[in-house]
Amino acid sequence: MTKRYQSITNKIAPVSALILLVALWAAICGFGAIPAYMLPSPAAVAKAFVSDFPTLMFHSRVTLSEAAAGLGAGILAAFITASFMNRFSVLYNALYPLLVISQTIPTVAIAPILVMWMGFGMAPKIALVVLTTFFPITVGMLDGYRSADADSVSLLRSMGANNFKIFRYIYLPSSMSHFFAGLKISASYSIVGAVIAEWLGGFEGLGVYMTRVRKAYQFDKMFAVIILIIIISLLLMLAVKLIRNAVMPWERKGAVRN
Amino acid sequence: MNTSADSVLSAENIGISFDSVKIIENVSIRLGKNEIVSLLGQSGTGKTTLFNVLSGLYTPDSGRVYLRAEDITGKPGKISYMLQKDLLLPYMTVLDNTALPLIIKGEKKKEAREKAASLFSKFGLDGCEKKYPQQLSGGMRQRAALLRTYLSSQGTALLDEPFSALDALTKSAMHKWYLEIMSEIELSTIFITHDIDEAILLSDRIYIMSGKPGRITDEINVRGNKDDPEGFLLSREFLEYKRLIKQKL
């Protein structure tokens, strides 16, 4: 009971802040402080969201597939890279600086190059999502592998476990919480990555639609797309949280105090 | 008494150094069937290093380790080893933790679980199967760790300070429980301890290890009364053993 009560009171502050912000926005527009063609009112945005809904859904399906494909490939690549880097310290020393450097390349700069190389289809979008999601998961998993307890490894070795079993029963589970921390970040990056790639060339997707309405100065529709992207990102992060809870049930069990 | 002929485990003239510092030198020990032997000594005398050699985790610079007739020097997986911490894996249920050694040895998950579950009541772990280690008290965790050790052994176990992390009351309850369980299962054991009382109470024989590099400096046979540990603790003989050991440490 108290826990439930607490979870409600914990939400009061963020929800009020959000309501306050929207009210402030509505007030600024209502008093005409900023002209409607520059900043549409919340009501206008909501109206655009509803009237545009079928178009928005069509484009989000495209963006989501790019993000999902890129995130999936990113996870796979990160898992393989991190596992090998953990197993062979030469690889770790060789690749770690490159990983960090790759993260400093601005996405907006690399996206047009990818479009030039791969054309206007889905390929450059997926590639950009892979590039942006790969890093947080790789670094997360590497930290996770390194957090594995050396004594537990000795214990399994004393049981006669081979390297694969030590990986399966010690390293992999030890990296889980770090993996999900990285995945949470990557999940939100994946949508933004796909949208940015779409800006720079393409035929469909939320990014393409966004450029289109911006060029037509339909800022209410533009804001509707932004809000949709926020909602999709939050839902993805929620999905990651739910998967994490299902995969790591021990995290939700209370500890005994001795 | 045990002669070397019926030893299950024996180590001969073990010596090992790290970074050219000798940690243990010329250590020979043996363990009889179903015997409980303790290794008593101050910190830094190489007791844990000796265990790492016996368990096969380290290969000694000199000397051999035999399990019955088999040379197991540097071969892990033959003797079970309970390290200083209980090392129950936090992401597995207690049942899966205890079944882990069987799964590592290649048994099917279901069979391994059944085999482990059948021993839960004997080890006083009823109802803990589905719990996670963090939900157990220190004493219960130690029982689970001991069950896992028992399941990973083929009759021989090394315990590194099995009770040192427990509070005094839990510790004495665990001693009583340990003697009971040891009379019911077949397990030849060597355990490390700093605690003289614990060594006298639980063991059939005590090796005293001291010096740098560590050597076995004494060996004491204990004729205790394992059916009445509380009476034995307060007896005159117990104090005699204690005096003897204190002189030798």
Side-chain angles (χ1 to χ4, degrees):
Chain A
M1 278 308 271
T2 40
K3 215 171 180 181
R4 193 183 185 88
Y5 179 71
Q6 235 177 20
S7 87
I8 293 170
T9 48
N10 283 346
K11 279 177 190 132
I12 289 177
V15 169
S16 340
L18 188 65
I19 291 171
L20 206 70
L21 188 69
V22 175
L24 192 69
W25 174 14
I28 289 172
C29 297
F31 290 116
I34 300 173
Y37 63 85
M38 285 182 78
L39 181 68
S41 71
V45 173
K47 217 168 118 190
F49 192 90
V50 173
S51 66
D52 248 15
F53 196 73
T55 324
L56 286 175
M57 284 304 107
F58 167 76
H59 290 293
S60 20
R61 201 165 300 142
V62 176
T63 305
L64 265 176
S65 343
E66 290 160 359
L71 186 59
I75 291 172
L76 194 69
F79 174 75
I80 293 169
T81 311
S83 302
F84 275 99
M85 282 171 78
N86 180 58
R87 181 72 184 79
F88 304 104
S89 53
V90 182
L91 274 183
Y92 184 91
N93 294 331
L95 293 183
Y96 201 88
L98 286 181
L99 274 177
V100 176
I101 291 170
S102 81
Q103 203 51 22
T104 60
I105 301 170
T107 4
V108 225
I110 196 102
I113 301 172
L114 290 174
V115 173
M116 264 169 52
W117 286 344
M118 300 175 174
F120 290 98
M122 271 194 171
K125 284 90 177 179
I126 294 172
L128 192 72
V129 175
V130 173
L131 281 178
T132 50
T133 58
F134 170 74
F135 181 79
I137 301 176
T138 308
V139 170
M141 288 204 84
L142 278 173
D143 287 346
Y145 287 151
R146 302 213 144 201
S147 78
D149 181 34
D151 287 334
S152 300
V153 174
S154 293
L155 175 76
L156 257 77
R157 196 153 276 147
S158 83
M159 291 177 182
N162 58 21
N163 283 334
F164 173 74
K165 279 179 173 156
I166 290 173
F167 176 76
R168 161 74 185 79
Y169 291 106
I170 305 291
Y171 286 111
L172 194 61
S174 302
S175 75
M176 272 301 140
S177 66
H178 293 82
F179 165 76
F180 279 107
L183 183 61
K184 192 177 166 184
I185 298 169
S186 289
S188 58
Y189 278 13
S190 68
I191 296 293
V192 176
V195 168
I196 289 177
E198 284 164 356
W199 279 353
L200 298 152
F203 306 111
E204 45 197 22
L206 287 175
V208 175
Y209 183 67
M210 216 173 184
T211 348
R212 218 174 274 160
V213 291
R214 185 180 45 122
K215 280 178 183 155
Y217 292 100
Q218 293 172 312
F219 282 4
D220 50 346
K221 291 187 175 178
M222 175 98 181
F223 272 79
V225 182
I226 293 172
I227 283 165
L228 182 63
I229 290 171
I230 293 173
I231 292 170
I232 292 174
S233 300
L234 288 177
L235 285 177
L236 275 177
M237 281 155 88
L238 178 70
V240 171
K241 194 180 164 188
L242 293 177
I243 295 170
R244 181 197 165 112
N245 287 347
V247 174
M248 304 174 67
W250 61 90
E251 285 227 315
R252 292 159 63 76
K253 306 279 180 185
V256 154
R257 296 262 169 272
N258 291 308
Chain B
M1 292 273 59
N2 290 287
T3 62
S4 55
D6 58 15
S7 292
V8 286
L9 177 69
S10 63
E12 287 162 15
N13 306 318
I14 301 293
I16 191 167
S17 337
F18 289 103
D19 302 326
S20 61
V21 178
K22 271 207 152 102
I23 308 294
I24 49 179
E25 191 175 53
N26 207 19
V27 168
S28 297
I29 57 170
R30 65 196 162 75
L31 174 68
K33 191 163 168 47
N34 295 342
E35 201 184 12
I36 306 178
V37 170
S38 58
L39 202 58
L40 182 66
Q42 280 153 352
S43 307
T45 50
K47 300 187 296 298
T48 299
T49 306
L50 178 60
F51 266 26
N52 284 334
V53 171
L54 295 177
S55 65
L57 291 177
Y58 295 167
T59 305
D61 302 330
S62 60
R64 312 302 297 171
V65 182
Y66 297 96
L67 181 66
R68 291 179 194 89
E70 187 188 357
D71 187 341
I72 57 160
T73 318
K75 286 184 199 156
K78 302 282 182 179
I79 310 177
S80 60
Y81 184 9
M82 183 163 133
L83 287 90
Q84 249 177 55
K85 296 180 271 176
D86 61 53
L87 290 180
L88 296 168
L89 305 175
Y91 38 81
M92 283 184 196
T93 61
V94 176
L95 182 61
D96 285 348
N97 261 292
T98 53
L100 185 61
L102 301 175
I103 293 169
I104 299 280
K105 294 230 153 74
E107 285 196 34
K108 289 215 175 74
K109 217 168 191 173
K110 189 166 170 273
E111 284 159 26
R113 276 188 183 146
E114 275 167 12
K115 206 177 268 182
S118 69
L119 285 161
F120 263 58
S121 75
K122 187 172 239 167
F123 277 75
L125 286 163
D126 282 302
C128 297
E129 289 87 345
K130 295 231 162 72
K131 287 190 177 166
Y132 285 93
Q134 73 218 32
Q135 296 173 282
L136 300 190
S137 67
M140 295 299 265
R141 292 170 65 105
Q142 219 56 29
R143 285 169 191 237
L146 200 67
L147 172 54
R148 181 182 60 190
T149 308
Y150 174 59
L151 282 170
S152 61
S153 75
Q154 291 126 351
T156 318
L158 307 171
L159 314 179
D160 191 350
E161 298 189 36
F163 309 115
S164 64
L166 304 172
D167 63 88
L169 286 176
T170 314
K171 195 169 171 174
S172 86
M174 284 295 288
H175 284 157
K176 203 162 165 248
W177 171 81
Y178 180 70
L179 286 172
E180 276 169 30
I181 192 90
M182 288 302 280
S183 68
E184 288 172 34
I185 58 177
E186 299 251 310
L187 193 64
S188 319
T189 314
I190 308 180
F191 72 92
I192 291 177
T193 183
H194 294 133
D195 182 340
I196 300 176
D197 288 12
E198 184 174 272
I200 303 169
L201 189 67
L202 301 181
S203 11
D204 302 313
R205 205 146 48 81
I206 301 173
Y207 283 116
I208 293 176
M209 211 168 162
S210 57
K212 245 176 208 192
R215 297 158 184 270
I216 302 284
T217 48
D218 253 300
E219 184 182 343
I220 296 156
N221 284 304
V222 182
R223 250 167 275 179
N225 185 352
K226 299 212 168 159
D227 299 323
D228 179 20
E230 275 145 38
F232 180 51
L233 252 177
L234 299 171
S235 71
R236 208 191 172 83
E237 296 131 281
F238 190 90
L239 283 177
E240 281 301 323
Y241 281 123
K242 201 164 172 175
R243 186 172 301 138
L244 182 71
I245 292 168
K246 283 211 158 160
Q247 280 169 2
K248 295 187 168 185
L249 263 180

